[in-house]
Amino acid sequence: MSQDNTQGPATGIIHNRHHRDSFGSPYSPVYNTTTYQFENTEALLDVIEDRAPGHLYTRWGTNPSIEELEQGLARLENAEAALAFASGMAAISATLLAHGRKGIVCVGDLYGGTQELLVNHCQALGIPVHFLFKEEVGQLTNTLGEPGKLVYFETPANPNLAILDVAGIARIAHQHGALVAVDNTFASPINQQPLELGADLVLHSATKYLGGHSDLTAGALMTSAELAAAVVPWRKNLGQLLAPETAALLSRSLRTLPVRIRQHNENAMAVAQAMEKHPKVRRVLYPGLPGFADHELAARQMKGFGGMVTIEVDGDRAASTAVADNLRLFLLATSLGGVESLVSQPCATSHHGLSPEERLKRGITDGMLRLSIGLEDSEDLIADLNQALTKAFG
Ligand SMILES: *Cc1c(COP(=O)(O)O)cnc(C)c1O
């Protein structure tokens, strides 16, 4: 169970193991159990009354498969503690309820589900929620007021891949006694470590890069032992634990996360560079391109630029629809972070509910296509985009 912080992330995660079994398996077995037997009532009470470590009931989070996963998740973000959840939204909702009750200030664009949670549910519970556009980040000081608030944001954000300055925002938030939570789903812990930059809480939809194969739904929170402890009862009583089987599947995925992310980064850069040269592509949004508005900030706070690329074709909504519908390798699907490449049209998916004016205010245009670049050969992905652009534009 030892955690050697001098090791790199790949070594650390490949050798992350809860315990050695008697058969010498290199990996732990899956503990598909909901409950645990005790020798006697005294031993049971020792665990219930916190005198001895032990497992009592899986929904409480005490399950060896879930604990092994959490140890790996903590390692990846260099965090003291990690909590695993049944989905990204479970991790986000438990964190907001545990640490955001005095008020939440959001900066920039948010994942649709998070936005809905904040607008429909947090406000219904009487939690004050304040939204700032990225350009309004200078007003953060004015919105914080009393200590105890939570500043919440995503970087890179969907679908413009806009970058927010984690260290800069954390400095201001901390001056006002606020905590900082960053949704690090788009970057992954290999490309960006918000805790190192000054954030207090890091969230992931593990459904995306951490899982990496579009075959599981899970979420994660990485933070200090103290801040995690405050979230544990919310997770337990809201019933947000993931199944031990899913935990084991996610632990399996984490072993290849560092190598997968390296290839996502490389493929995305190749696609972004090729699309920049295409006459029918008006704009390419990719943090790794020197011409990208937030490139310098991205280069400063990220170790890699990620697998998400957004292109804007030189045409209207019908043109971007035609490109999406003519792609063969890219699957027309929401979500991201899997080994297979996906395409989605923000105006038809993530931002479908907004009016065209509201979309424009958020920088979402009809010609935009969001690409989740997978692990196929990048030449094949570029050839697929080229043939779809040719078909759409004749
Ligand atoms: C998908 C996603 C979520 C929600 O995660 P689920 O696992 O679907 O609950 C939250 N934040 C971001 C940035 C996402 O992409």
Side-chain angles (χ1 to χ4, degrees):
M1 282 227 219
S2 69
Q3 192 158 332
D4 179 351
N5 287 328
T6 63
Q7 290 172 346
T11 309
I13 199 65
I14 286 170
H15 292 279
N16 177 60
R17 187 159 40 154
H18 194 269
H19 64 271
R20 285 170 194 277
D21 74 4
S22 57
F23 299 103
S25 161
Y27 303 114
S28 308
V30 185
Y31 284 87
N32 271 328
T33 182
T34 57
T35 192
Y36 306 87
Q37 179 189 3
F38 289 87
E39 283 302 312
N40 51 44
T41 302
E42 192 190 343
L44 183 147
L45 284 173
D46 280 345
V47 171
I48 288 191
E49 292 171 8
D50 276 335
R51 281 187 298 275
H55 297 89
L56 192 75
Y57 191 55
T58 285
R59 180 171 50 75
W60 290 28
T62 55
N63 175 289
S65 299
I66 295 171
E67 289 162 349
E68 178 173 289
L69 168 63
E70 291 177 337
Q71 186 180 292
L73 290 168
R75 217 183 246 276
L76 285 169
E77 289 280 9
N78 277 318
E80 248 174 44
L83 297 177
F85 290 84
S87 68
M89 287 313 301
I92 293 165
S93 56
T95 300
L96 295 184
L97 289 171
H99 292 295
R101 296 198 303 283
K102 290 202 176 147
I104 303 166
V105 180
C106 302
V107 188
D109 292 310
L110 297 177
Y111 175 71
T114 308
Q115 179 87 14
E116 245 181 74
L117 175 71
L118 288 157
V119 172
N120 297 347
H121 308 297
C122 289
Q123 303 210 60
L125 291 171
I127 299 172
V129 183
H130 200 100
F131 293 96
L132 293 174
F133 283 108
K134 177 180 188 263
E135 298 72 29
E136 298 173 329
V137 68
Q139 295 174 31
L140 188 57
T141 300
N142 308 333
T143 59
L144 284 171
E146 294 290 301
K149 297 214 171 138
L150 181 70
V151 176
Y152 187 96
F153 60 94
E154 300 174 11
T155 181
N158 185 45
N160 289 315
L161 305 170
I163 309 292
L164 284 166
D165 179 357
V166 180
I169 292 175
R171 211 175 305 118
I172 295 167
H174 291 157
Q175 279 165 6
H176 293 81
L179 290 174
V180 176
V182 177
D183 182 334
N184 202 28
T185 300
F186 268 45
S188 92
I190 306 303
N191 284 334
Q192 179 171 274
Q193 298 198 303
L195 295 177
E196 209 166 78
L197 296 166
D200 304 290
L201 302 132
V202 174
L203 291 149
H204 282 278
S205 167
T207 312
K208 315 294 168 54
Y209 287 105
L210 302 184
H213 298 73
S214 307
D215 59 358
L216 65 86
T217 301
L221 165 67
M222 292 79 149
T223 183
S224 67
E226 188 190 342
L227 294 177
V231 179
V232 168
W234 289 90
R235 178 181 67 164
K236 173 183 138 191
N237 295 324
L238 291 171
Q240 299 175 304
L241 258 298
L242 76 174
E245 216 157 25
T246 307
L249 188 58
L250 181 51
S251 284
R252 207 246 332 231
S253 288
L254 293 185
R255 290 178 201 127
T256 56
L257 182 69
V259 67
R260 281 190 283 111
I261 294 297
R262 273 204 293 280
Q263 196 62 44
H264 281 294
N265 291 346
E266 193 182 308
N267 282 5
M269 183 61 100
V271 169
Q273 285 172 341
M275 288 300 101
E276 237 187 350
K277 296 194 200 92
H278 199 288
K280 292 296 174 194
V281 175
R282 201 182 286 150
R283 267 196 319 158
V284 179
L285 302 175
Y286 184 63
L289 293 175
F292 182 72
D294 297 329
H295 173 68
E296 272 181 37
L297 174 57
R300 204 160 64 231
Q301 73 180 11
M302 300 179 80
K303 295 167 185 154
F305 298 111
M308 300 303 294
V309 178
T310 295
I311 63 171
E312 187 180 273
V313 302
D314 192 16
D316 55 11
R317 184 162 171 169
S320 64
T321 302
V323 175
D325 288 347
N326 278 299
L327 284 165
R328 294 192 197 119
L329 280 178
F330 284 81
L331 312 182
L332 181 63
T334 57
S335 198
L336 60 121
V339 296
E340 69 293 319
S341 292
L342 306 179
V343 59
S344 78
Q345 204 180 4
C347 68
T349 56
S350 55
H351 295 73
H352 185 251
L354 299 180
S355 68
E357 296 75 43
E358 281 177 310
R359 278 202 291 270
L360 267 187
K361 223 163 115 190
R362 287 174 169 75
I364 316 292
T365 64
D366 286 349
M368 269 186 178
L369 291 170
R370 191 192 79 174
L371 307 173
S372 172
I373 304 299
L375 303 184
E376 301 93 337
D377 299 293
S378 59
E379 302 77 23
D380 293 332
L381 296 175
I382 293 164
D384 192 31
L385 283 160
N386 285 338
Q387 68 78 24
L389 282 159
T390 302
K391 280 214 182 92
F393 286 94

